[in-house]
Amino acid sequence: MKQAKLKSEYIHVLDPLPYTDSALSPVISSDTVGVHYGKHHKGYVDKLNKQLEGTEYSDMSLESLVIETAGKPDLSGIFNNAAQAWNHTFYWHSMREKGGGAPPAKLKEKIEASFDSLDACREELIKAATTQFGSGWAWLVQDRDKIKVMATGNADNPMTSGMKPLLTIDVWEHAYYLDYQNRRADYVKAVLDKLINWEFAAKNLD
Ligand code: MN
């Protein structure tokens, strides 16, 4: 019986990085990527698979798990690991080698309609990322016709409040401490100016 049940369970896999460990260097070193992806991100996926064993949630996709378990204290273990697994894959894709610059026209127009300018949007992202107390994430999201900036704490994800994530920056200390020590603002600015993948964000628009 157990065997049959286990066979139908959804095994979540660690998504491959969209580039090599050193592609983001020197903004984010290969040492940081190695620990962040190979230990932290992998750890969330491994813990999630353990927690799902034999539960009614074992057949759900990662995205469904995030939405279905959000805000339920008795399921916080599953939520935290599922959301962290989802957020990290989204974060890796939010950056690219030689990123930064200007967004594709359709995203740039939407940003300029929602903020005074692209630079104002950049400033809001920096503010959200640097004022998030403790661990969390800064996000560019789509809320119907509007583009917005928001921050979430710990593992939280904008999908659980009905927003469509476009890109994210991880502001947990493990994302920047090896390269920037406590200088979170320097990490965030460098990511936005040199690594951010606007093409990925544009692809995520509805
Ligand atoms: Mn992280």
Side-chain angles (χ1 to χ4, degrees), residues 58-195:
S58 60
D59 292 329
M60 278 188 192
S61 71
L62 195 57
E63 189 167 324
S64 301
L65 275 176
V66 172
I67 291 164
E68 292 298 320
T69 63
K72 296 175 179 162
D74 52 327
L75 296 173
S76 63
I78 293 176
F79 173 77
N80 285 334
N81 287 297
Q84 283 294 81
W86 194 98
N87 294 356
H88 278 87
T89 294
F90 200 76
Y91 168 65
W92 300 123
H93 284 86
S94 296
M95 300 180 288
R96 66 179 176 89
E97 193 175 357
K98 301 195 178 87
K106 69 167 182 175
L107 176 59
K108 190 161 180 276
E109 282 165 22
K110 282 188 185 293
I111 286 174
E112 287 169 347
S114 299
F115 302 86
D116 287 341
S117 61
L118 178 62
D119 200 51
C121 174
R122 177 183 173 278
E123 290 300 322
E124 283 222 23
L125 274 165
I126 294 167
K127 189 175 161 199
T130 53
T131 57
Q132 170 59 36
F133 183 76
S135 297
W137 301 82
W139 304 84
L140 190 69
V141 300
Q142 182 174 14
D143 181 14
R144 280 166 284 186
D145 285 346
K146 285 270 181 200
I147 306 295
K148 295 179 177 174
V149 164
M150 65 186 288
T152 60
N154 299 318
D156 285 349
N157 178 299
M159 292 189 295
T160 66
S161 47
M163 309 283 180
K164 178 101 170 49
L166 300 179
L167 62 78
T168 193
I169 302 173
D170 189 343
V171 297
W172 284 56
E173 278 191 347
H174 66 225
Y176 59 88
Y177 210 82
L178 281 180
D179 298 326
Y180 297 85
Q181 289 79 51
N182 62 330
R183 292 175 287 115
R184 187 192 285 187
D186 289 350
Y187 152 74
V188 170
K189 287 175 192 168
V191 166
L192 281 170
D193 295 342
K194 294 173 182 158
L195 297 180

Side-chain angles (χ1 to χ4, degrees), residues 6-52:
L6 282 173
K7 244 186 171 172
S8 70
E9 283 180 350
Y10 204 121
I11 303 297
H12 296 275
V13 295
L14 178 63
D15 288 311
L17 278 179
Y19 32 69
T20 66
D21 278 18
S22 58
L24 307 179
S25 175
V27 178
I28 298 176
S29 67
S30 58
D31 284 351
T32 290
V33 174
V35 174
H36 196 176
Y37 174 74
K39 305 284 184 199
H40 291 278
H41 187 175
K42 181 177 186 297
Y44 296 123
V45 176
D46 291 346
K47 274 180 248 165
L48 175 65
N49 282 322
K50 273 213 175 73
Q51 285 173 328
L52 291 174

